[in-house]
Amino acid sequence: MTSRRLEESMGAVQMGLVRMLKGFQSKVLPPLSPKVVTEEEVNQMLTPSEFLKEMSQTTEQRLANTRLMCRPQIIELLDMGETTHQKFSGIDLDQALFQPFPSEIIFQNYTPCEVYEVPLVLRNNDKVPRMVKVVEESSPYFKVISPKDIGHKVAPGVPFTFRVVFTPEENKDYTHMLTCVTEREKFIVPIKARGARAILDFPDKLNFSTCPVKYSTQKILLVRNIGNKDAVFHITTYRPFSVEPSVGTLSVGESMQLEVNFNPQTVGNHSKRLIVYYDTGEKMFVSLYGAAIDMNIRLDKNSLIIEKTYISLANQRTVTIHNRSHIIAHFQWKIFATQEEEDREKHRVCKGLVKEEKNETDEFLEECIIDPSLRERLSILSRTFENQRSLVQADSMLFLNKVFITEPLEGDVWPNSSAEITVYFNPLEAKLYQMTVYCDISGREIRLPLRIKGEGMGPKIHFNFELLDIGKVFVGSVHCYEATLSNKGSIDALFNVIPATSALGACFVFSPQEGIIEPSGVQAVQITFSSAILGHFEEEFLVSVNGSPEPVRLTIRGCVIGPTFHFNVPALHFGDVSFGFPHTLICSLNNTSLVPMTFKLRIPGDGVSSCRDYSDNQGPSWNKDKIPITKPKEFTITPSCGTIRSQGFAAIRVTLCSNTAQKYELALVVDVEGIGEEVLALLITARCIVPSLRLVNTEVDFGRCFLKYPYAKTIQLVNHDDLPGCYEVLPQVREDSPAVLFSCPSPRGIISPQGTVHIPLTLETQVPGKHMSSLYISIFGSQDPPVVCHIRSIGEGPVIHIHPVQVDFGKIYVLKESSRILNLSNQSFIPGLFKARMAHKNSLWTIEPNEGIVPPENEVQLTLTANLNDIVTFKDIVILEIKNSNTYRIPVQASGIGSTIVSDKPFAPEINLGAYFR
């Protein structure tokens, strides 16, 4: 909006501006309609003719021809509140409130000591009146003259003109800077004074017209310095154009030749600029144009097939390059189809060298830590890799190959002539070689492809037969055969028998395994065979030939038969067997062949853990928790392995100790070493039964039993089956205070078929009273609960007889002890523990001993002593307690006689009172 408003109003105020300038002495006037553009458009590059025209203008002419202006550079923003009440503006902050014209004040083609003047117009772009002033730095050459009404506000859209006066001392360059201060910002207006200038008379355009592609075309330019200063310049351009020399110095009025080269790499139109840079900062450009086309240059063929060639020999063919153009065509045979592929390969190699340099540098720095003096050689390492990278970049990437060789690799083909190229074929292996090489030649954009194809041939050797059928052979036997290798080729054949990888192929031995066969020569090969593997076979053996991709093949087939053998019985029938009782059957394994046989016998399906039999020290168990988790090994084979000589046999014992009540249908299988597994099987049948054992009497009555005295009885266990059985009397379940203790002296045993066994039983009662106990008998192998036998008993304590049943002391003297005997007689088989005491607390009787033991079937006497203290009749009761038996009460009495008065000393025969003083 600001730029458009400036352009629209510029013409409206032009007349007033002209009237304002009439009073000035300067004749320099601004243009009538300047346009606001970017700084790049103002400073755009000129052609040589435009540059000459601009440099030839005076200051007045240049200002009059200036039609463009750009926004000034704001160097500082100010606080509008300090300078005006109009704090808001419609102009963006990146634009100044005043637009200067010209944007850059330029003086040129001036004369020293003359005074030159250029107006600086500042136009108010805002919608309200604004103030502006120009501040300049002190300079002897430049001076700013302000208008008379400076300090007043400028109306919107109205220009405000300052005069810039320049007084040069000599014809050289001057620079200065004006600072314009508005109410909101500061911006600058540069001043440049251009002194003497060099001007080179380059043409505006240089047209190469139509040129061959990949061919260098030159044009010579004669350049003259028509300026008033020596020219120091340098020139740049872009591919496919180049210039020589690119830098130079040219005095005023002198000339020089420049060579512009056009070397296009692609067909089509090419346009670039040749830019001339002056040392004074100016630059100009020359438009370069050229069109590249393909020339009539070709190969006489694009594919080359070379005849089959033996390795170590060589063959050759030729290809012709035809040049039907007017240029000298330079050619090179390349590996890659395009220059881009070459550049990528060079980049890849250089990248690898950079990585290698980094690794070696790291290793070298580690060595420098140990030996610091080595650090001086670091530059050598860096220089070495830099040289390698330079060699890679300078490499022409010509076609270099050991199999296909082109001669010459590069050269020139003169106009309207041809050149022959020889291609040599040197095969290293017997295989088909195919490769494409590319002829990079002047005048053709795309490299000319040449597809080369050649096949290398190796030695040609053959066996005298391809298949050897050896028929049937015995396992382990040795057989020899002979085959013949013939060389039908023209070169020596170096052969080597490749070892077989299969197991049966390893049974063949070739002799010799390697050698050399001359052309038209033969070699006999001995083949030895001995196998331990049975069955039909067909093996293919390979003989590698040096230089030949395909080996020579020999197929050998046949059949290896093993030993024959059988059992002497059709099956092993164990019939019914008892659980845990071993049963053994015998058979024989007969070897009917003529070679020894190593065998191994086993029964698939048999368990792995140890089995239980009736003789096991741990005894049989009826508890299911004690049954092993893994299946037990129930069959025992003796011997389970061995070697049977030819026409021999081996006696085999098979023992079954069944731990599973079931039917058996298994097989005894024979594994023969070197033959296979389960070559032969023998049927095994059996049925395991647990005999049913019963008690004749399920209850045993021991009657009355003295406590802790052993009593013995037997119980009868009957086997009604035709198989033996095994039993175990289970131990009594222990309690804290059992009433009855019972045990079996022979807890385990075997019952013969249809037999009866008497099982001894010992019992001891522990407490008096009637008791009922349970005895458990487990049947080996049975999953049923054990057989229960109930035991009845009555526990009794000792039987003690007392005599007398009452004691009468009669008349006894008082204060004198008198004793009687009390007899305790034990009528039982157990000892009797007793305690005796008097019924009264302060009894006149004592009894000794007051406790003790009466041995079985024996007596103990107790002494009862009375000591009366009065002449009356006394009565008491002896309480006799028998442990685990009765308590007896024995009455006692006595009558006292005599005197109850006594002295502690006797009166007789005399009493001596001794002396007594009054």
Side-chain angles (χ1 to χ4, degrees), residues 278-290:
Y278 291 97
D279 63 334
T280 53
E282 293 83 12
K283 58 184 178 180
M284 62 182 182
F285 73 92
V286 178
S287 297
L288 303 178
Y289 171 79

Side-chain angles (χ1 to χ4, degrees), residues 574-583 612-614 656-661 687-692 719 721-726 750-751 753 779-781:
F574 282 89
D576 291 341
V577 297
S578 182
F579 189 98
F581 285 80
H583 292 73
R612 299 174 296 151
D613 62 15
Y614 69 91
L656 169 62
C657 182
S658 177
N659 277 193
T660 309
R687 184 178 69 161
C688 176
I689 298 175
V690 179
S692 177
N719 181 6
D721 292 332
D722 295 330
L723 297 173
C726 182
I750 297 174
I751 304 179
I779 310 303
F780 186 35

Side-chain angles (χ1 to χ4, degrees), residues 46-104:
L46 304 177
T47 63
S49 60
E50 293 172 342
F51 180 76
L52 174 61
K53 180 180 179 181
E54 182 178 283
M55 290 295 105
S56 301
Q57 294 175 350
T58 63
T59 301
E60 294 83 355
Q61 292 171 339
R62 180 181 179 89
L63 180 62
N65 293 325
T66 301
R67 296 290 184 268
L68 303 177
M69 61 182 176
C70 62
R71 294 189 178 94
Q73 178 185 354
I74 299 173
I75 60 174
E76 185 180 355
L77 292 176
L78 305 176
D79 186 2
M80 296 179 68
E82 297 179 356
T83 57
T84 180
H85 296 290
Q86 300 290 340
K87 298 181 180 180
F88 300 100
S89 173
I91 306 299
D92 295 336
L93 286 176
D94 60 343
Q95 300 179 25
L97 295 179
F98 284 81
Q99 173 63 43
F101 181 85
S103 304
E104 181 182 40

Side-chain angles (χ1 to χ4, degrees), residues 239-255:
R239 292 181 181 179
F241 299 95
S242 62
V243 62
E244 286 292 336
S246 60
V247 296
T249 302
L250 190 61
S251 300
V252 176
E254 293 188 357
S255 302

Side-chain angles (χ1 to χ4, degrees), residues 311-312 402-403 425-430 433 456 547:
I311 58 174
S312 74
K402 293 181 180 180
V403 177
F425 177 44
N426 302 300
L428 302 178
E429 299 179 41
Y433 291 90

Side-chain angles (χ1 to χ4, degrees), residues 810-816 868-874 894-902:
K811 294 181 178 181
I812 59 175
Y813 287 99
V814 296
L815 303 179
K816 287 186 178 182
L868 305 181
N869 58 4
D870 204 351
I871 54 172
V872 294
T873 299
F874 293 93
S895 299
I897 61 173
S899 176
T900 59
I901 300 174
V902 295

